Amino acid sequence: MQLTGRRTLLDAARVQAATRPGLLLHGPAGIGKSTLVAALTADRAAGTVLHCSPAEEDARLPFAGLVDLFARIPESRLEALAPQPRAALRTALLRGGGPADDRGLLAVRVAVLDALRVLAADGPVLLVVDGLQWLDGPTAEALAFAMRRLDDPGLRMLAAERVADGGQPERLHCCPPGTVELPVPPLTDGETARLVRADLGADLPPAVLRATQQIAAGNPYYARELGRAALRAPVPAGFGALPPVPPGLRTLLLEQARSLPEPVRHALLVASAADRPSLTLLRAAGLPDPAAALAETERLGIAAADADGVVRFRHPVLRAAVHADASEHGRRQAHALLARAVTEPVERARHLALSHPYEDESTARTLMTAAGAARRDGAPGTAFELAVLAARRTPAGHPADRAERLLAAAEYACDAGRTEEAGEAAGAVLARSGSAAQRVRARLVLLRGAGQALEGTEDLIADGLRDAAGDPRSEARLHHWAAVRGLLCGELTEAAEHARRAARQAGAAGDTGTRIDALATLARVRSLAGDPVAADTALTEALTLLRCSPETATPHRGAGPCPICGYRHAGATSHDGAAADTLHLAPLPAERPGGPESRRLIRMRAILALDSDRVTEARDQVVPLLAATGEPAGAEDTVATLVALTRIQVRAGHCREALRTAARCARALPQAAPALYAAALAATAGATADEARRLAAQAVRASEADGDRLFLLRALAVLGQAELLGGDPRGAAAAVEALQRVRELGEAMCAADPPLLHWYGDLAEALVALGETDAAGAVLRDARARVPHGAPGSVLAALERAEGLCEAGLGRAREGAVRLRTAVERLRRLPLPVELVRALIALGAVERRARRRNAARQALAEALETATRIGAAPLAARARDELARLAAGERGGETGAGGPELTPTEARIAELVGGGATNREVAAELFISVKTVEGALSRVYRKFGVRSRTALAHAMAVAVIAAGAAVDTGDDDRPGPVAQTVAVSQAARARLPRPLDTRR
């Protein structure tokens, strides 16, 4: 029983079936009603089940449904019925003879009513009718009669009725009053893909899967049948060709249509062959009266023309079935008619190719012209499919032309994000072409299609350089890819050298586009390495070339990678003082806003501005890219822009907008590491900690699978931030694990850009939360040593926040508060509300521990108000939790004068040890090391003034009892006498799942 995509619906149905007298599932044929009925029936633990599943032919047989319903009910259970109704029921069930007059029919209805009452008196009864539309009339009337009169909570009904798409059930009267109607919706494309994969035990080619999804339109039965037929098909359907429909499904759908007159069937065939059929198009194709012909098909519920003359099939599978049911000659003839009738170039080329299924150079050239037009119109997927058809139609005697067309198709596929198909086309050229230049182009396509997974492409690049020897243009492009690979893999020195060689060779070849790309990559590398001056120099040179060279207005395919998000980890120059102006560069020329080089450089400048805390400037540069005119952006270019915009929106505090941008990114390339990273980052700002943790873990796995250290660095950092949002020891332990990997990766890569220094602050904060203040201090000293002169203000604030928490963790809460207020005031001068909220929450928590409750309340209230206003839901939850702890402390005398000031981790360890847990058990419970437990326990002993676990348990018990009598004025300067007690936050008590093991 396959329930793919139906779990949520099944859960809802279970609730209704358990609480309402009846549940009626309805939907079109094949939508999965019977599967749901079977699952709901299987849930029945005890009682009597009366079941019938009538077929269409049963509808004409009186009482056939009743016979099925009572088939398993023994005669003995009907003995309690009155003689006349019992005799009538036995006659209906073919168990005895008797009159069949109107009086006898009434007796049958009464007998059904009485029988259901008798059965319900013995225990629960479930009445199941799967196929209510085929239930014979007498049985339906008997059920309706009984249901109107029954009011027994022990009897429930489960029914399914087939209705047309969008229709309503017609036999609700056969169900008990109060029955809930539950439509069964179509599956999503993703659910359809999973269903087909599970059914076939294999993956369909991407193009075939897309066609199957489109034709099935979410119907599980159609999807399975089409998937099986596609798996048996000798070759995938080409562009515009409908997928094969198996004969059995065609017979089921077209049994009546096959008896229509030939002119009607011909009109239906031509309409099925057209992409956008209309009465006007059918007339232009030579049909004398298409409206009259289609009137017959409307009567059968196959297709109809609306008021505007647009021909619509009732379901996409009917169009495919009509097309598949015709002869090959008939289909070719229909496409030939349409090729002469349509005026749109792409559509005309499609029909031309499908009406000439053989090699023909003229057809191939027409298809390539249409492919170019489709790409210029922003339809790279259509361009790819047309170019593939062109390659197939190219005569065998022109292998070079066929290879060129396959390469064009591969490049279009990359633009459309269809990397698997791009790899197939480029791989075919690489395997067969005798041209070194074509093999180089094929390798460039394969590199571009690899996305972030460039770690294993050394041989591909090396082989390409051998083929490209003596061709500086090709060598430049391959060296640029080597630079991008080095950037992604964290090999910054090698990446910089390859980028410089690429720029030199591109300059020698006059390839300005590749030279600009190489300089932009060099700027990224030097920025990540903490050399903003070199980054500024390279970027300025690239911008100058872009302004001065008309060549860059035309894109150069395969030359300049933006491997999904090529800007990644661009560092920043300073923003704290006069150095802030170092990257305020002049705008790009307005006449070329949409070229690929322009878009890359704009993103690069925006990220440099963002990391320099110039958030508004960064946003103003990136937003226009999504609406820019000019050369249409490919999928990876669009995702690069969306990832950049997500980062900007999160830092700017536009949390709701960031969630929407990340969702767009996920739709473009759903399983790509950059898209997952953007989704996780947006979730840390505007969704929930659990969602952020889940997405960040996925991004970590995707980056590791790709060998992409740059996005692994980012994904681990977001994972660490997500774990910190919970405010509990387990989350802190998981955050330390993730952020320690960030630190190690950054050091191995010799990275020194501002985001990395922010993450050092996060690592120190996580260590403080675990009570490992010495380790936190070491991290902060290391970070301070790496801070360049004039570092961005947000970097300094992040380190000050962590230093303030570290001071408080060492028992110097007032000193920590001073440090945190410095961070808060610094952030008030910057447009970074999310970071301000984090600092305010930290300040409020430390002020509370310093017993400055008014100051704590003021900081936390501001944090909550700001977080709520900007949509930062996880931080708003943290602020509310801290305010709740503050209120609880005021009511119960938390941490009074001389009382122990415990961190959340110390409090949780004290609680577990006080309850009798060993150090090893505590470590296992909190997912921290035994050494950490021992260190924290030593501090707890000192704070409580005890020397043993028994004394600690006693002291904690006394503290809890004494807390009830505590009195506290709440004055910041003169705390009253309070009991010695321990506060354990709600988050600290929560049991969380084991954190992700981020190490291989």
Side-chain angles (χ1 to χ4, degrees), residues 782-976:
D782 185 14
R784 282 290 182 183
R786 296 170 182 271
V787 173
H789 173 69
S794 64
V795 168
L796 301 177
L799 297 180
E800 288 162 349
R801 185 191 74 239
E803 287 164 346
L805 290 169
C806 192
E807 288 283 345
L810 291 168
R812 299 192 289 268
R814 291 180 183 272
E815 292 84 347
V818 170
R819 203 73 173 146
L820 284 160
R821 279 194 292 271
T822 301
V824 166
E825 291 309 312
R826 190 186 299 278
L827 289 168
R828 290 193 195 282
R829 300 192 295 270
L830 297 170
L832 305 171
V834 171
E835 293 171 46
L836 174 61
V837 169
R838 287 189 67 185
L840 285 167
I841 291 173
L843 175 61
V846 169
E847 292 282 30
R848 175 180 58 77
R849 292 176 60 195
R851 297 187 289 283
R852 293 174 54 88
R853 293 199 172 95
N854 288 342
R857 190 180 303 105
Q858 182 178 357
L860 293 171
E862 181 183 354
L864 179 58
E865 187 279 327
T866 304
T868 302
R869 174 171 48 81
I870 66 177
L875 290 176
R878 281 291 306 277
R880 279 191 291 269
D881 183 59
E882 287 293 338
L883 282 167
R885 293 186 66 195
L886 178 63
E890 290 174 336
R891 289 192 301 270
E894 179 191 3
T895 61
E901 299 175 2
L902 304 185
T903 67
T905 299
E906 291 171 347
R908 183 69 175 124
I909 289 173
E911 182 183 46
L912 291 170
V913 169
T918 67
N919 288 2
R920 190 171 297 279
E921 289 170 341
V922 173
E925 173 71 15
L926 301 184
F927 296 100
I928 57 180
S929 68
V930 174
K931 184 177 179 181
T932 298
V933 175
E934 292 170 349
L937 194 54
S938 297
R939 292 190 297 273
V940 171
Y941 282 173
R942 287 197 302 271
K943 291 178 180 181
F944 269 100
V946 298
R947 292 186 174 184
S948 70
R949 308 169 88 86
T950 303
L952 175 62
H954 177 73
M956 291 182 66
V958 170
V960 171
I961 294 170
V967 177
D968 187 358
T969 66
D971 189 284
D972 282 345
D973 298 315
R974 293 181 292 112

Side-chain angles (χ1 to χ4, degrees), residues 426-742:
V429 173
L430 190 60
R432 300 188 186 100
S433 178
S435 164
Q438 287 182 337
R439 291 197 301 272
V440 167
R441 279 184 63 196
R443 290 188 178 93
L444 289 170
V445 170
L446 291 171
L447 288 165
R448 185 179 172 202
Q452 307 298 110
L454 290 175
E455 188 174 27
T457 58
E458 303 99 315
D459 291 344
L460 192 65
I461 294 171
D463 292 343
L465 286 169
R466 279 192 289 273
D467 269 343
D471 177 5
R473 180 185 294 264
S474 296
E475 288 180 310
R477 295 178 181 183
L478 287 161
H479 277 297
H480 183 213
W481 273 109
V484 172
R485 181 196 166 278
L487 177 64
L488 293 180
C489 296
E491 300 164 0
L492 299 188
T493 302
E494 294 84 349
E497 180 56 33
H498 280 295
R500 292 188 188 98
R501 289 189 65 179
R504 286 196 301 270
Q505 289 181 302
D511 184 352
T512 306
T514 300
R515 187 178 175 194
I516 290 172
D517 286 340
L519 289 167
T521 299
L522 179 61
R524 297 184 193 109
V525 172
R526 298 316 304 154
S527 173
L528 181 62
D531 189 351
V533 175
D536 187 11
T537 300
L539 189 58
T540 301
E541 184 179 353
L543 289 168
T544 301
L545 286 169
L546 185 66
R547 294 188 190 99
C548 297
S549 173
E551 176 196 332
T552 57
T554 303
H556 51 291
R557 295 197 179 280
C562 175
I564 300 184
C565 294
Y567 66 81
R568 40 180 78 63
H569 267 338
T573 54
S574 60
H575 182 64
D576 222 27
D581 294 328
T582 55
L583 283 179
H584 281 283
L585 301 167
L588 294 173
E591 67 273 12
R592 294 201 296 271
E597 297 84 7
S598 173
R599 288 193 292 267
R600 292 176 188 129
L601 292 179
I602 290 173
R603 280 196 302 271
M604 179 65 192
R605 291 194 309 163
I607 294 303
L608 288 170
L610 176 67
D611 288 343
S612 294
D613 298 342
R614 300 197 304 278
V615 178
T616 302
E617 177 186 332
R619 184 180 184 278
D620 290 346
Q621 290 174 358
V622 167
V623 168
L625 294 182
L626 295 173
T629 58
E631 173 68 14
E636 65 272 347
D637 191 82
T638 299
V639 169
T641 301
L642 291 170
V643 173
L645 182 57
T646 302
R647 289 184 61 193
I648 293 166
Q649 289 168 332
V650 167
R651 293 206 76 198
H654 301 156
C655 302
R656 301 177 186 91
E657 291 87 341
L659 288 171
R660 289 193 287 269
T661 302
R664 288 179 63 188
C665 192
R667 287 194 295 272
L669 287 175
Q671 297 306 314
L676 290 168
Y677 157 74
L681 180 64
T684 62
T688 65
D690 287 343
E691 179 71 359
R693 188 183 298 113
R694 180 183 67 82
L695 290 166
Q698 291 181 14
V700 167
R701 288 190 288 268
S703 300
E704 287 179 329
D706 289 343
D708 180 351
R709 294 188 184 180
L710 275 175
F711 264 100
L712 178 58
L713 203 65
R714 289 197 180 283
L716 286 166
V718 173
L719 179 59
Q721 291 164 358
E723 296 287 5
L724 278 174
L725 286 172
D728 61 279
R730 290 191 182 188
V736 167
E737 183 179 359
L739 293 166
Q740 188 59 45
R741 282 196 70 190
V742 170

Side-chain angles (χ1 to χ4, degrees), residues 175-198:
C175 302
T179 291
V180 173
E181 301 176 47
L182 194 62
V184 182
L187 300 176
T188 65
D189 281 351
E191 291 164 348
T192 299
R194 290 193 292 275
L195 175 72
V196 171
R197 186 183 304 115

